[in-house]
């Protein structure tokens, strides 16, 4: 069922829950991985994903279809995650520690990380990026979204996104060269 | 020699993260439970529709009360003793003890002057006329 049909179904009296469950079914996994790659921890990713869907459920009746459903959901998920990271960074700053260092430690101790050493180093390089740049890099590199879609999600111009991706790419490449 | 481009290695594009077994099914039912518990409040209800209007009305009411409070605070008050004097005055006016009007104040002096004239006895007037005016003048007055 495509997004248009899902939205039509959602508008029908008494079918909101069913339609929304279909939306969760369709996009839940994709959004989870998007969040997970930003926060590393499974527990945090799960909480943020549920929060994303609760917000989407509350806002869906006002969704005016000016953007596509999946970019709209991505936007909610990205905003939720970036807000979470901002709070976590502030918390880390107040406790005189470094947030990216915390993420690296979390990654090393994560029982749900099955990557090899190269993948570990690669993920650490991504964790060192500023959070918005990290989100742009992940959406482009892993999710293979077009710059136009990322622009719709982030509200940033395509030109600025290309520059951001290029900077992120360069930083990661430099880190990999030094570390591997 | 060309340097190795690590990022373009397809191996790095693979997802190194995993989830607990059966997580996605569990997540879907957790979300379903949460949205069921929140009820069907997501539909555009009456309150949602009138909320902006209510906000506007509330803003006007608040502004009115702020203005009223400002006037009350900054306007000089009439003391209780002054108020009681005024009230007593009104009472006298109502009962007819004080019949002072604008015309009364205006005519006070004139009334006094005519009062003086009326107090001259008529005998004195007659004797003054007979001493000072001759008979011809008197007949011409008729």
């Amino acid at each position: 069922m495509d997004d248009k049909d899902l939205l039509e179904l959602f508008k029908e009296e008494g079918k909101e829950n069913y339609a929304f469950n279909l939306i969760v079914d369709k996009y839940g996994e994709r959004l989870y991985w998007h969040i997970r790659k930003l926060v590393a921890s499974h527990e945090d990713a799960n909480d943020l994903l549920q929060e994303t869907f609760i917000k989407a459920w509350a806002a869906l009746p006002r969704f005016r279809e000016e953007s596509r459903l999946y970019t709209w959901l991505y936007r909610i998920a990205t905003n939720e995650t970036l807000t979470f990271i901002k709070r976590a960074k502030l918390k880390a700053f107040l406790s005189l520690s470094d947030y990216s260092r915390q993420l690296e430690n979390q990654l090393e101790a994560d029982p749900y990380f099955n990557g090899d050493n190269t993948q570990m180093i690669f993920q650490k390089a991504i964790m060192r990026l500023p959070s918005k740049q990290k989100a742009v890099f992940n959406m482009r590199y892993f999710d293979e979204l077009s710059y136009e879609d990322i622009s719709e999600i982030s509200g940033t111009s395509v030109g600025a996104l290309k520059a951001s991706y290029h900077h992120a790419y360069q930083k990661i490449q430099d880190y990999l060269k030094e570390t591997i | 020699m060309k340097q190795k481009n690590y990022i373009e290695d397809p191996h790095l594009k693979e997802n190194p993260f995993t989830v607990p077994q059966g997580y996605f099914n569990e997540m879907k039912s957790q979300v379903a439970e949460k949205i069921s518990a929140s009820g069907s409040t997501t539909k555009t209800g009456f309150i949602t529709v009138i909320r902006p209007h209510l906000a506007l009305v509330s803003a006007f009411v608040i502004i009115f009360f702020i203005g009223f409070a400002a006037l009350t605070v900054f306007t000089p008050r009439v003391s209780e003793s002054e108020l009681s004097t005024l009230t007593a005055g009104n009472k006298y006016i109502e009962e007819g003890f004080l019949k002072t009007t604008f015309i009364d104040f205006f005519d006070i002096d004139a009334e006094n002057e005519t009062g003086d004239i009326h107090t001259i006895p008529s005998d004195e007037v007659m004797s003054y006329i007979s001493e000072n005016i001759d008979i011809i003048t008197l007949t011409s007055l008729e």
Side-chain angles (χ1 to χ4, degrees):
Chain A
M1 197 181 273
D2 67 16
D3 291 351
K4 203 173 162 54
D5 294 335
L6 284 170
L7 291 169
E8 285 303 315
L9 190 66
F10 183 81
K11 284 173 195 163
E12 284 180 37
E13 192 70 41
K15 291 194 176 167
E16 311 91 352
N17 287 42
Y18 174 64
F20 195 78
N21 287 338
L22 291 178
I23 291 170
V24 174
D25 199 39
K26 189 175 179 183
Y27 291 112
E29 206 165 322
R30 201 172 170 183
L31 290 174
Y32 170 83
W33 291 122
H34 172 59
I35 298 168
R36 176 78 187 273
K37 282 171 192 151
L38 289 171
V39 295
S41 149
H42 164 70
E43 285 74 24
D44 292 340
N46 178 44
D47 290 345
L48 287 164
L49 181 68
Q50 297 210 15
E51 199 56 44
T52 298
F53 280 126
I54 298 297
K55 289 210 169 156
W57 166 253
L60 200 54
R62 297 191 298 279
F63 178 60
R64 284 177 290 178
E65 295 177 52
E66 284 166 358
S67 56
R68 281 161 295 167
L69 181 63
Y70 92 92
T71 55
W72 183 70
L73 289 168
Y74 250 86
R75 187 160 67 232
I76 298 173
T78 309
N79 286 343
E80 279 296 303
T81 310
L82 293 181
T83 308
F84 170 84
I85 292 173
K86 208 184 219 176
R87 281 199 207 115
K89 273 184 178 173
L90 182 68
K91 216 171 162 183
F93 173 77
L94 293 174
S95 59
L96 304 171
S97 59
D98 180 26
Y99 179 67
S100 34
R101 185 73 215 142
Q102 274 183 16
L103 280 183
E104 285 177 28
N105 292 339
Q106 214 169 359
L107 201 62
E108 282 167 8
D110 192 350
Y112 301 112
F113 184 86
N114 276 357
D116 59 21
N117 190 44
T118 318
Q119 283 173 316
M120 174 68 86
I121 293 167
F122 183 51
Q123 286 301 323
K124 281 184 181 177
I126 296 169
M127 295 298 173
R128 286 171 176 240
L129 295 173
S131 46
K132 279 181 189 169
Q133 207 172 60
K134 184 161 61 176
V136 172
F137 180 82
N138 283 352
M139 283 191 274
R140 181 75 185 144
Y141 185 83
F142 291 111
D143 304 340
E144 297 181 336
L145 296 180
S146 67
Y147 281 116
E148 286 71 25
D149 284 353
I150 302 172
S151 172
E152 208 174 296
I153 292 162
S154 62
T156 312
S157 70
V158 169
L161 289 171
K162 281 182 180 173
S164 178
Y165 182 76
H166 177 74
H167 284 304
Y169 193 97
Q170 218 42 57
K171 281 183 204 170
I172 295 167
Q173 184 77 333
D174 292 344
Y175 183 82
L176 292 177
K177 272 182 208 164
E178 282 169 22
T179 322
I180 295 176
Chain B
M1 190 183 140
K2 199 182 171 188
Q3 278 190 320
K4 191 183 175 184
N5 188 342
Y6 295 99
I7 303 179
E8 294 307 319
D9 183 351
H11 174 59
L12 289 182
K13 280 212 173 189
E14 288 168 16
N15 185 3
F17 296 99
T18 59
V19 288
Q21 208 170 4
Y23 164 70
F24 287 111
N25 286 331
E26 200 186 312
M27 178 273 292
K28 284 170 202 166
S29 45
Q30 279 176 353
V31 172
E33 266 176 43
K34 281 188 182 176
I35 62 166
S36 297
S38 71
S40 56
T41 51
T42 56
K43 286 283 173 194
T44 311
F46 179 66
I47 294 293
T48 316
V49 172
I50 65 159
R51 189 174 290 162
H53 303 95
L54 279 175
L56 193 66
V57 170
S58 311
F60 275 115
V61 169
I62 290 166
I63 289 167
F64 172 77
F65 277 110
I66 289 170
F68 181 74
L71 277 175
T72 314
V73 170
F74 295 111
T75 308
R77 287 186 174 189
V78 179
S79 68
E80 268 186 38
S81 54
E82 284 172 330
L83 264 178
S84 59
T85 312
L86 285 171
T87 317
N90 286 341
K91 194 181 166 193
Y92 284 125
I93 290 167
E94 281 163 17
E95 289 176 2
F97 293 115
L98 291 173
K99 289 183 178 174
T100 311
T101 62
F102 174 73
I103 294 164
D104 292 337
F105 283 113
F106 185 77
D107 287 335
I108 279 172
D109 293 336
E111 205 172 285
N112 288 344
E113 279 170 18
T114 50
D116 289 343
I117 291 166
H118 287 302
T119 53
I120 300 169
S122 57
D123 295 345
E124 279 183 31
V125 173
M126 289 306 290
S127 63
Y128 175 81
I129 292 169
S130 58
E131 283 170 16
N132 294 292
I133 302 172
D134 55 41
I135 191 77
I136 298 160
T137 313
L138 279 172
T139 49
S140 67
L141 283 173
E142 289 173 2

